[in-house]
PDB file of all heavy atoms in Angstrom:
ATOM      1  N   ASN A 711      31.954  26.654 106.105  1.00 97.00           N
ATOM      2  CA  ASN A 711      30.876  27.300 105.451  1.00 97.00           C
ATOM      3  C   ASN A 711      30.650  28.707 106.014  1.00 97.00           C
ATOM      4  O   ASN A 711      30.747  28.925 107.275  1.00 97.00           O
ATOM      5  CB  ASN A 711      29.596  26.522 105.548  1.00 97.00           C
ATOM      6  CG  ASN A 711      29.670  25.158 104.906  1.00 97.00           C
ATOM      7  OD1 ASN A 711      29.905  25.070 103.694  1.00 97.00           O
ATOM      8  ND2 ASN A 711      29.494  24.105 105.697  1.00 97.00           N
ATOM      9  N   ILE A 712      30.454  29.677 105.157  1.00 98.00           N
ATOM     10  CA  ILE A 712      30.455  31.073 105.536  1.00 98.00           C
ATOM     11  C   ILE A 712      29.103  31.748 105.180  1.00 98.00           C
ATOM     12  O   ILE A 712      28.557  31.456 104.133  1.00 98.00           O
ATOM     13  CB  ILE A 712      31.626  31.848 104.863  1.00 98.00           C
ATOM     14  CG1 ILE A 712      32.942  31.358 105.389  1.00 98.00           C
ATOM     15  CG2 ILE A 712      31.472  33.380 105.121  1.00 98.00           C
ATOM     16  CD1 ILE A 712      34.147  31.964 104.692  1.00 98.00           C
ATOM     17  N   LYS A 713      28.658  32.620 106.075  1.00 98.00           N
ATOM     18  CA  LYS A 713      27.468  33.422 105.772  1.00 98.00           C
ATOM     19  C   LYS A 713      27.778  34.880 106.263  1.00 98.00           C
ATOM     20  O   LYS A 713      28.362  35.047 107.336  1.00 98.00           O
ATOM     21  CB  LYS A 713      26.232  32.882 106.515  1.00 98.00           C
ATOM     22  CG  LYS A 713      24.927  33.578 106.191  1.00 98.00           C
ATOM     23  CD  LYS A 713      24.456  33.272 104.791  1.00 98.00           C
ATOM     24  CE  LYS A 713      23.057  33.792 104.551  1.00 98.00           C
ATOM     25  NZ  LYS A 713      22.575  33.441 103.203  1.00 98.00           N
ATOM     26  N   THR A 714      27.374  35.854 105.501  1.00 98.00           N
ATOM     27  CA  THR A 714      27.547  37.224 105.870  1.00 98.00           C
ATOM     28  C   THR A 714      26.203  37.945 105.993  1.00 98.00           C
ATOM     29  O   THR A 714      25.222  37.532 105.370  1.00 98.00           O
ATOM     30  CB  THR A 714      28.438  37.986 104.862  1.00 98.00           C
ATOM     31  OG1 THR A 714      27.772  38.008 103.568  1.00 98.00           O
ATOM     32  CG2 THR A 714      29.789  37.373 104.752  1.00 98.00           C
ATOM     33  N   ALA A 715      26.200  39.038 106.747  1.00 98.00           N
ATOM     34  CA  ALA A 715      24.987  39.886 106.896  1.00 98.00           C
ATOM     35  C   ALA A 715      25.454  41.261 107.230  1.00 98.00           C
ATOM     36  O   ALA A 715      26.494  41.483 107.824  1.00 98.00           O
ATOM     37  CB  ALA A 715      24.081  39.319 108.002  1.00 98.00           C
ATOM     38  N   THR A 716      24.686  42.232 106.785  1.00 98.00           N
ATOM     39  CA  THR A 716      25.003  43.663 107.054  1.00 98.00           C
ATOM     40  C   THR A 716      24.139  44.254 108.102  1.00 98.00           C
ATOM     41  O   THR A 716      22.933  43.977 108.140  1.00 98.00           O
ATOM     42  CB  THR A 716      24.938  44.478 105.724  1.00 98.00           C
ATOM     43  OG1 THR A 716      23.641  44.357 105.169  1.00 98.00           O
ATOM     44  CG2 THR A 716      25.943  44.005 104.732  1.00 98.00           C
ATOM     45  N   GLN A 717      24.713  45.106 108.912  1.00 98.00           N
ATOM     46  CA  GLN A 717      24.043  45.772 109.975  1.00 98.00           C
ATOM     47  C   GLN A 717      24.255  47.275 109.843  1.00 98.00           C
ATOM     48  O   GLN A 717      25.377  47.729 109.640  1.00 98.00           O
ATOM     49  CB  GLN A 717      24.606  45.323 111.326  1.00 98.00           C
ATOM     50  CG  GLN A 717      24.019  45.964 112.558  1.00 98.00           C
ATOM     51  CD  GLN A 717      24.700  45.517 113.842  1.00 98.00           C
ATOM     52  OE1 GLN A 717      25.906  45.469 113.889  1.00 98.00           O
ATOM     53  NE2 GLN A 717      23.918  45.130 114.850  1.00 98.00           N
ATOM     54  N   LYS A 718      23.180  48.043 109.921  1.00 98.00           N
ATOM     55  CA  LYS A 718      23.294  49.495 109.794  1.00 98.00           C
ATOM     56  C   LYS A 718      23.382  50.100 111.171  1.00 98.00           C
ATOM     57  O   LYS A 718      22.492  49.922 112.024  1.00 98.00           O
ATOM     58  CB  LYS A 718      22.061  50.043 109.034  1.00 98.00           C
ATOM     59  CG  LYS A 718      22.150  51.565 108.823  1.00 98.00           C
ATOM     60  CD  LYS A 718      21.071  52.029 107.799  1.00 98.00           C
ATOM     61  CE  LYS A 718      19.694  51.845 108.317  1.00 98.00           C
ATOM     62  NZ  LYS A 718      18.666  52.382 107.371  1.00 98.00           N
ATOM     63  N   VAL A 719      24.453  50.905 111.377  1.00 98.00           N
ATOM     64  CA  VAL A 719      24.659  51.638 112.679  1.00 98.00           C
ATOM     65  C   VAL A 719      24.436  53.125 112.381  1.00 98.00           C
ATOM     66  O   VAL A 719      25.203  53.719 111.569  1.00 98.00           O
ATOM     67  CB  VAL A 719      26.063  51.426 113.214  1.00 98.00           C
ATOM     68  CG1 VAL A 719      26.282  52.240 114.521  1.00 98.00           C
ATOM     69  CG2 VAL A 719      26.306  49.925 113.517  1.00 98.00           C
ATOM     70  N   THR A 720      23.383  53.677 112.950  1.00 98.00           N
ATOM     71  CA  THR A 720      23.070  55.085 112.721  1.00 98.00           C
ATOM     72  C   THR A 720      23.310  55.855 113.951  1.00 98.00           C
ATOM     73  O   THR A 720      22.846  55.564 115.050  1.00 98.00           O
ATOM     74  CB  THR A 720      21.555  55.212 112.342  1.00 98.00           C
ATOM     75  OG1 THR A 720      21.271  54.428 111.204  1.00 98.00           O
ATOM     76  CG2 THR A 720      21.198  56.681 112.074  1.00 98.00           C
ATOM     77  N   VAL A 721      24.157  56.896 113.828  1.00 98.00           N
ATOM     78  CA  VAL A 721      24.474  57.789 114.889  1.00 98.00           C
ATOM     79  C   VAL A 721      23.817  59.155 114.585  1.00 98.00           C
ATOM     80  O   VAL A 721      24.118  59.793 113.515  1.00 98.00           O
ATOM     81  CB  VAL A 721      25.970  57.992 115.109  1.00 98.00           C
ATOM     82  CG1 VAL A 721      26.242  59.010 116.208  1.00 98.00           C
ATOM     83  CG2 VAL A 721      26.636  56.636 115.451  1.00 98.00           C
ATOM     84  N   ASN A 722      22.920  59.578 115.459  1.00 98.00           N
ATOM     85  CA  ASN A 722      22.233  60.871 115.260  1.00 98.00           C
ATOM     86  C   ASN A 722      22.907  61.963 116.034  1.00 98.00           C
ATOM     87  O   ASN A 722      23.390  61.803 117.132  1.00 98.00           O
ATOM     88  CB  ASN A 722      20.773  60.739 115.713  1.00 98.00           C
ATOM     89  CG  ASN A 722      19.941  59.795 114.870  1.00 98.00           C
ATOM     90  OD1 ASN A 722      20.100  59.775 113.637  1.00 98.00           O
ATOM     91  ND2 ASN A 722      19.086  59.004 115.521  1.00 98.00           N
ATOM     92  N   ASP A 723      22.946  63.138 115.387  1.00 97.00           N
ATOM     93  CA  ASP A 723      23.524  64.344 115.987  1.00 97.00           C
ATOM     94  C   ASP A 723      22.419  64.950 116.824  1.00 97.00           C
ATOM     95  O   ASP A 723      21.479  65.531 116.301  1.00 97.00           O
ATOM     96  CB  ASP A 723      24.004  65.291 114.924  1.00 97.00           C
ATOM     97  CG  ASP A 723      24.551  66.583 115.518  1.00 97.00           C
ATOM     98  OD1 ASP A 723      24.663  66.725 116.741  1.00 97.00           O
ATOM     99  OD2 ASP A 723      24.897  67.475 114.726  1.00 97.00           O
TER     100      ASP A 723
END
Side-chain angles (χ1 to χ4, degrees):
N711 297 299
I712 294 174
K713 186 72 171 181
T714 62
T716 56
Q717 178 184 46
K718 183 168 66 176
V719 177
T720 303
V721 177
N722 293 321
D723 178 6

